[in-house]
Amino acid sequence: MEINKHYFDTIIIGSGLAGCRAAIECIENGTVGVLSKLYPTRSHSTAAQGGIGAALGNEEEDSPEWHTYDTVKGSDFLGDQDAIEIMCYDAIPTIIELEHMGVPFSRTVEGKIAQRRFGGHTRDFGKAPVRRACYSADRTGHAVLFALYEQCQLRGVRFFQEFQVIDIVIENQAIQGVIAINIKDGSIHVFEAKIVIIASGGYGKIFKVTSNAYASTGECLSMLFRQGLPLEDMEFFQFHPTGLYGLGILITEGARGEGGILINGKGERFMERYAPTIKDLAPRDMVSRAILSEIREGRGIDGQDYVYLDLRHVDKKILHERLPEITTFCKIYMGIDPSEAPIPVVPTAHYAMGGIPTDIDGRVLRDVDGSFVQGLFAAGECACVSVHGANRLGCNSLLDTVVFGRRAGKAASSILKSSTKGKVKKERLALIIECLEMLKNNKGKETVASIRKELQQAMMDKCSVFRTEEELKLLVDEIKTLKERYKEIEITDKSKTFNTDLLEAIELGHMLTLAEVIASSALQRTESRGAHYREDYPKRDDENWMKHTLAFQTEKGITFKYKPVKITRFKPEERKY
Ligand SMILES: Cc1cc2nc3c(=O)[nH]c(=O)nc-3n(C[C@H](O)[C@H](O)[C@H](O)COP(=O)(O)OP(=O)(O)OC[C@H]3O[C@@H](n4cnc5c(N)ncnc54)[C@H](O)[C@@H]3O)c2cc1C
């Protein structure tokens, strides 16, 4: 088989916000290749709607200190406060920089960057909601990604679009490069590099109902895990309160930021009971639980399993100017005009708080002792710095990708000179090709689609907003059975061109690995914190669980270690809103 070889000083996996922002730094000191299994601007970042947080104070008084406090409290005190402080203080220059790079932010009448309310963002340490999210109508991710992509093009970053990474090569605790398939013709490419930055995004596709794109399958995390590296805080997966009923497509929190309210089957604005101060703008974990509690107690709309997001009282001009995308979604997918009818919504799997453990400069950690893999970095949703702890606040993820994408790029750039060129050994490549051929030629009675469907359903039923020991145990067993059945899959497409059957089979293998880590980590954590709610342990337990989970693959199966949370200013307190 003909192998195509490439060398770049830095290879970046992923062309979302984190990948593009990192690339802009790295190109200053060397060559950069960005690999993306999608067309670059189709990365999930482009789907981000509502906003990017920064305490600019353009519309009302605000401060980065309040932003820090809100993020710490929103994280249910599991976020590392040193990293959170960096993010919230860096937010302000970051937005200015994005503006200078060409992001068309929406404006106030005076011409300043406009800001709106978002869940969990408050003024004066929780007193009332504050306008902190900068936005470009409800197409913020799209606006930012196109600007960053353009900047990459200007600077000579090389993009390999529709190249799917199938191996991240680490030898002797140092990165060597990556192996990828060119989706278009099935050819194999080896990329050797001094530095690899993983910016591969989230993995919401593990759940049945999700706001995430089809490509959000998380294989890069699993590739590291299978090589003995840890994954951090995987039990924390965020469900966004307002997914379109039956579809999971997101209706941005910006809709509530602009005045939208949630109502139950009795017509009550039920969030008044759960979060009397900030009501519908409480953090997502709380609102998702509130919606599902209403439904469980029979107060869904007409007793069914959804509630309404009501925007009828919001000025039509605001809907038109600031929420055009979701207005269109409602019309296309539900046949509803939100200015005339309420929108049926239910929580949807949305965001991975857990991921590849890194330090504040994106270095990938090998263990709880702070040791790292030479030359390997991670940033964006795939990484766990951890700024989001047990629950991410809305509009903090776009911020995280840009702030830590830049930091990872800077740190990577600074060690470029002293780093040695990676080498992907022939044996490693041969092994990968052999695995690929085996998968392609495997005979069996199972299909990728049926196993994936069962996995997604099982994760939805047993590991979503509410969890119990009994169900999590059943889930772990179910995943183990699915892993066995995976060995029996048969791929019908034998061609080389756009063989999505084969690529999806690879992704599914990794999804099964990640699902087992998520379920097992959730089983271990016998408390409720942020998005991880254990009905059998409904209280937060700081004495025993104020710590990050690190899951490792060993010969004995998944094992766990824990590392302390970094607390600087804000001592854990009861989380009231
Ligand atoms: C519908 C929706 C709305 C959102 N709205 C907001 C919002 O308003 N504000 C906010 O702060 N956050 C929002 N978020 C969250 C935020 O958009 C994401 O967390 C963030 O954009 C992730 O960016 P990223 O750069 O880490 O990854 P992504 O943008 O997901 O990019 C991942 C990249 O990795 C590549 N990749 C993955 N695996 C491979 C592989 N094996 N080989 C090659 N390439 C690979 C993909 O091709 C892609 O280029 C939203 C998320 C969703 C789903």
Side-chain angles (χ1 to χ4, degrees):
M1 183 188 276
E2 194 195 331
I3 303 296
N4 305 272
K5 281 196 124 185
H6 311 261
Y7 172 79
F8 285 88
D9 293 327
T10 305
I11 281 293
I12 297 177
I13 309 173
S15 58
L17 292 188
C20 286
R21 187 60 193 84
I24 293 172
E25 290 306 318
C26 296
I27 196 73
E28 294 294 315
N29 286 333
T31 54
V32 181
V34 177
L35 276 59
S36 171
K37 63 178 173 176
L38 302 165
Y39 186 77
T41 48
R42 289 198 166 265
S43 303
H44 188 64
S45 289
T46 213
Q49 302 172 352
I52 173 165
L56 299 179
N58 281 358
E59 304 234 11
E60 53 199 12
E61 192 191 352
D62 199 3
S63 89
E65 194 188 9
W66 297 345
H67 191 180
T68 305
Y69 170 79
D70 290 339
T71 305
V72 171
K73 186 172 165 186
S75 81
D76 219 348
F77 296 88
L78 192 75
D80 285 323
Q81 296 186 17
D82 54 343
I84 294 176
E85 266 178 60
I86 288 175
M87 182 176 81
C88 296
Y89 281 81
D90 231 14
I92 297 168
T94 295
I95 296 295
I96 309 293
E97 183 188 70
L98 288 176
E99 187 192 31
H100 292 180
M101 284 181 178
V103 178
F105 286 112
S106 295
R107 299 278 157 183
T108 63
V109 279
E110 310 91 67
K112 292 182 183 171
I113 293 174
Q115 298 190 274
R116 65 173 153 220
R117 293 180 176 144
F118 245 73
H121 291 278
T122 69
R123 77 171 157 74
D124 208 5
F125 309 103
K127 297 251 164 59
V130 75
R131 294 177 205 278
R132 187 175 288 151
C134 311
Y135 58 94
S136 213
D138 54 356
R139 303 183 181 113
T140 313
H142 182 106
V144 181
L145 187 59
F146 273 73
L148 292 184
Y149 180 59
E150 207 172 81
Q151 293 296 325
C152 286
Q153 295 286 9
L154 273 173
R155 290 166 166 81
V157 172
R158 177 88 188 273
F159 283 87
F160 292 84
Q161 67 206 35
E162 295 177 326
F163 272 63
Q164 185 149 338
V165 172
I166 51 171
D167 192 20
I168 300 169
V169 184
I170 299 164
E171 304 265 358
N172 304 324
Q173 287 154 13
I175 191 71
Q176 309 296 332
V178 306
I179 302 172
I181 300 184
N182 181 351
I183 301 177
K184 195 166 80 183
D185 59 15
S187 56
I188 302 288
H189 294 247
V190 174
F191 293 84
E192 289 174 335
K194 287 182 175 179
I195 306 279
V196 170
I197 302 178
I198 307 174
S200 61
Y203 41 90
K205 272 289 154 190
I206 287 180
F207 295 90
K208 182 184 169 199
V209 179
T210 176
S211 67
N212 281 199
Y214 276 91
S216 302
T217 43
E219 59 272 19
C220 292
L221 286 86
S222 159
M223 284 175 213
L224 298 189
F225 183 72
R226 288 181 184 177
Q227 293 181 68
L229 292 178
L231 292 177
E232 182 172 345
D233 290 343
M234 295 294 283
E235 61 271 41
F236 299 103
F237 201 95
Q238 175 169 84
F239 277 70
H240 191 295
T242 58
L244 282 182
Y245 179 61
L247 297 168
I249 294 173
L250 193 77
I251 299 298
T252 175
E253 200 168 87
R256 278 171 285 138
E258 297 293 358
I261 57 168
L262 291 162
I263 48 178
N264 65 15
K266 291 175 128 185
E268 295 165 338
R269 186 180 180 185
F270 56 88
M271 280 312 298
E272 285 175 339
R273 274 188 272 121
Y274 296 87
T277 311
I278 59 175
K279 306 182 181 83
D280 301 86
L281 288 171
R284 293 175 178 173
D285 56 332
M286 298 176 98
V287 183
S288 287
R289 276 196 296 278
I291 292 176
L292 292 177
S293 301
E294 291 297 301
I295 292 171
R296 277 179 168 191
E297 287 159 25
R299 292 189 295 277
I301 305 300
D302 299 328
Q304 295 194 65
D305 53 348
Y306 61 89
V307 296
Y308 277 146
L309 171 62
D310 195 353
L311 293 171
R312 285 174 295 183
H313 53 285
V314 176
D315 189 343
K316 271 194 180 169
K317 193 163 170 275
I318 289 184
L319 290 183
H320 180 69
E321 282 175 7
R322 300 188 198 162
L323 299 167
E325 185 94 337
I326 60 128
T327 305
T328 313
F329 283 173
C330 290
K331 286 181 183 160
I332 293 177
Y333 298 110
M334 310 294 278
I336 284 174
D337 179 346
S339 67
E340 285 166 8
I343 313 165
V345 291
V346 75
T348 181
H350 184 60
Y351 183 84
M353 268 77 71
I356 305 164
T358 71
D359 71 1
I360 52 171
D361 288 312
R363 291 185 194 87
V364 171
L365 300 172
R366 270 198 289 128
D367 213 329
V368 285
D369 59 7
S371 55
F372 48 83
V373 183
Q374 181 62 35
L376 185 61
F377 293 78
E381 191 170 337
C382 67
C384 181
V385 183
S386 138
V387 278
H388 309 301
N391 172 65
R392 169 174 78 85
L393 290 189
C395 80
N396 265 356
S397 170
L398 292 186
L399 181 61
D400 165 14
T401 61
V402 187
V403 167
F404 290 97
R406 177 179 50 209
R407 289 182 75 89
K410 262 201 178 20
S413 242
S414 73
I415 60 159
L416 202 56
K417 266 212 179 105
S418 58
S419 301
T420 44
K421 284 187 182 178
K423 178 129 195 56
V424 175
K425 288 194 184 140
K426 279 205 299 275
E427 298 78 23
R428 177 88 173 217
L429 178 63
L431 190 71
I432 289 295
I433 293 175
E434 193 189 318
C435 291
L436 214 55
E437 286 305 309
M438 271 167 59
L439 193 58
K440 210 165 158 181
N441 299 319
N442 206 33
K443 296 264 175 273
K445 54 183 186 323
E446 300 286 355
T447 65
V448 171
S450 61
I451 294 182
R452 187 175 51 209
K453 198 170 163 195
E454 284 182 48
L455 173 70
Q456 290 166 330
Q457 185 70 56
M459 288 299 285
M460 201 72 201
D461 293 343
K462 303 190 176 71
C463 199
S464 56
V465 176
F466 295 107
R467 300 161 173 187
T468 63
E469 177 177 315
E470 197 190 340
E471 296 215 313
L472 288 169
K473 277 189 170 155
L474 284 173
L475 177 62
V476 171
D477 290 342
E478 243 175 277
I479 298 169
K480 289 202 165 109
T481 313
L482 289 173
K483 279 174 111 175
E484 283 305 310
R485 283 174 50 196
Y486 177 79
K487 294 178 184 156
E488 302 283 314
I489 55 168
E490 184 164 329
I491 290 161
T492 45
D493 187 351
K494 306 289 177 197
S495 72
K496 291 194 155 192
T497 325
F498 284 98
N499 191 340
T500 48
D501 251 12
L502 177 65
L503 297 170
E504 285 177 19
I506 299 172
E507 287 170 352
L508 176 62
H510 291 298
M511 284 160 80
L512 287 163
T513 301
L514 284 191
E516 193 181 356
V517 180
I518 297 171
S520 310
S521 304
L523 187 57
Q524 293 296 312
R525 189 176 280 272
T526 48
E527 67 155 352
S528 290
R529 184 186 296 270
H532 171 70
Y533 191 85
R534 285 280 302 257
E535 291 188 89
D536 40 356
Y537 297 92
K539 290 239 151 51
R540 192 175 84 196
D541 175 3
D542 286 343
E543 203 174 308
N544 296 303
W545 286 104
M546 186 59 135
K547 55 189 181 187
H548 297 289
T549 307
L550 289 188
F552 293 79
Q553 175 162 296
T554 66
E555 276 165 17
K556 285 182 256 148
I558 301 176
T559 56
F560 296 93
K561 290 185 188 176
Y562 294 92
K563 71 171 185 180
V565 176
K566 292 200 187 101
I567 297 173
T568 54
R569 248 212 78 191
F570 300 108
K571 301 280 168 281
E573 59 182 61
E574 203 190 334
R575 201 157 153 255
K576 277 195 180 146
Y577 284 94

